[in-house]
Amino acid sequence: NEETIKKRLKTFMDATLPVVEHYESKGKLHRIPAEASIEEVWAETEKIFTSPDWAETLLRMKLRNSLNNKKIVFIVGGPGCGKGTQCDRIVEAYGFTHLSSGDLLRAEVESGSERGLRLNSIMEQGDLVPLSEVLDLLRDAMIEKAETSNGFLIDGYPREVEQGLRFENEIIDCSFVVYFEVSNETMTERLLKRAETSGRVDDNEETIKKRLKTFMDATLPVVEHYESKGKLHRIPAEASIEEVWAETEKIFTSPDWAETLLRMKLRNSLNNKKIVFIVGGPGCGKGTQCDRIVEAYGFTHLSSGDLLRAEVESGSERGLRLNSIMEQGDLVPLSEVLDLLRDAMIEKAETSNGFLIDGYPREVEQGLRFENEIIDCSFVVYFEVSNETMTERLLKRAETSGRVDD
């Protein structure tokens, strides 16, 4: 009926439009004008699934595959915090590779390669090396050591939140961030002491003050960002080298790694698969288009609602638990929904070319949780239809569907 349809459409618009805006801002959204006929909408949908952009996407997936089961650790700390000493110990104790973007840039320039000459020219002109070049250097260094290294310490990176986001989007997710936390007073004292023997021109009190301000202004937002994602480990690094090492070791021998490795293996099994969120209001026609994608491209079509119903009907222990939650009128926790999606994807991983996650995410938080706990979505397809057209279609469907919400 028209009143119920109006409420459903308002609920959809309120919850889902922020999802659309979020993925559009990340360059992952494909809008399909879905007012037209089924065939015309299909013609637009096909363009997405046959796009040459997939060559680049598959390259990124293969890269992630080669780096799966490797610990990727961002190392953050101000000048004089002692992170270099701790990195050396981590390399020796756990078989990590220590990478610094500055060292990689210098080595590339000194190699005299075509890229080195290009980078040298940029620096001689006093320009900043583009982040894309830095990421290429990091990526190549990681691939070169992937077979023999247990993980990578990305030292002094990211200096800004955007650098971290670009690294995780274009190379691979970081496992966690280690922040060696030292007061400005201690860092100043250490740097002045180092100046007695280092001969470095930037080890004087005025320059140190400027360097520390630059670090604090740029890096503290990075610390806050990864802390909000539950990925930050703070190490109080005012103490002696041995005491700081004792705290550092705790992180690298943590039992939490069992869960981290499980997630990495899951991502590994789903690499080279296209993971597509399908978004659109009631009556937008996404169901019909999903059926065609499944038939044409060998995808698996998953709906969290269908998975919940099937689990309840199976009579499994989980099904009984979910049924009890729903009978009490409570919402099924997102963690349960993600477990159902994860299990369904693993079950079909060997035979499917990809997954259509239909009607998901309904909120931005759901998308973030899916990508953090399962795998990144490749892109989002939004079947865009006006409220007037959706209302008209649903009222027409109501003539034969018998659905109380039509």
Side-chain angles (χ1 to χ4, degrees), residues 151-303:
F152 296 90
L153 306 175
I154 315 297
D155 186 4
Y157 189 98
R159 294 178 190 273
E160 300 170 357
V161 173
E162 176 63 22
Q163 290 181 353
L165 296 175
R166 284 275 303 273
F167 180 102
E168 294 192 277
N169 189 43
E170 296 175 35
I171 302 182
I172 195 167
D173 290 352
C174 84
S175 309
F176 57 79
V177 179
V178 178
Y179 173 38
F180 291 98
E181 193 166 24
V182 179
S183 69
N184 280 8
E185 293 73 26
T186 300
M187 285 192 279
T188 301
E189 185 182 318
R190 289 178 181 176
L191 292 170
L192 287 173
K193 187 169 181 62
R194 185 175 76 181
E196 294 170 10
T197 55
S198 71
R200 284 180 56 162
V201 293
D202 55 353
D203 281 351
N204 63 74
E205 197 154 358
E206 189 56 37
T207 308
I208 288 167
K209 192 175 176 183
K210 287 179 184 172
R211 287 173 68 197
L212 290 177
K213 185 180 186 313
T214 300
F215 168 74
M216 290 297 179
D217 290 348
T219 308
L220 287 188
V222 171
V223 169
E224 289 165 4
H225 171 72
Y226 284 102
E227 194 158 43
S228 73
K229 293 182 78 176
K231 280 189 169 188
L232 187 85
H233 292 276
R234 289 178 184 262
I235 302 278
E238 299 267 344
S240 69
I241 290 172
E242 293 305 326
E243 288 171 308
V244 174
W245 174 240
E247 293 301 310
T248 304
E249 271 196 305
K250 288 177 187 175
I251 298 168
F252 286 83
T253 53
S254 164
D256 292 345
W257 270 108
E259 186 183 341
T260 301
L261 287 175
L262 181 65
R263 283 205 300 271
M264 286 176 169
K265 283 174 185 171
L266 169 65
R267 287 174 185 255
N268 194 22
S269 72
L270 295 174
N271 257 317
N272 303 327
K273 309 292 180 186
K274 301 178 186 177
I275 314 294
V276 184
F277 291 158
I278 302 291
V279 177
C284 72
K286 62 186 169 63
T288 302
Q289 298 300 322
C290 282
D291 290 345
R292 291 201 169 194
I293 296 164
V294 168
E295 188 178 343
Y297 301 109
F299 274 61
T300 297
H301 183 193
L302 297 176
S303 152

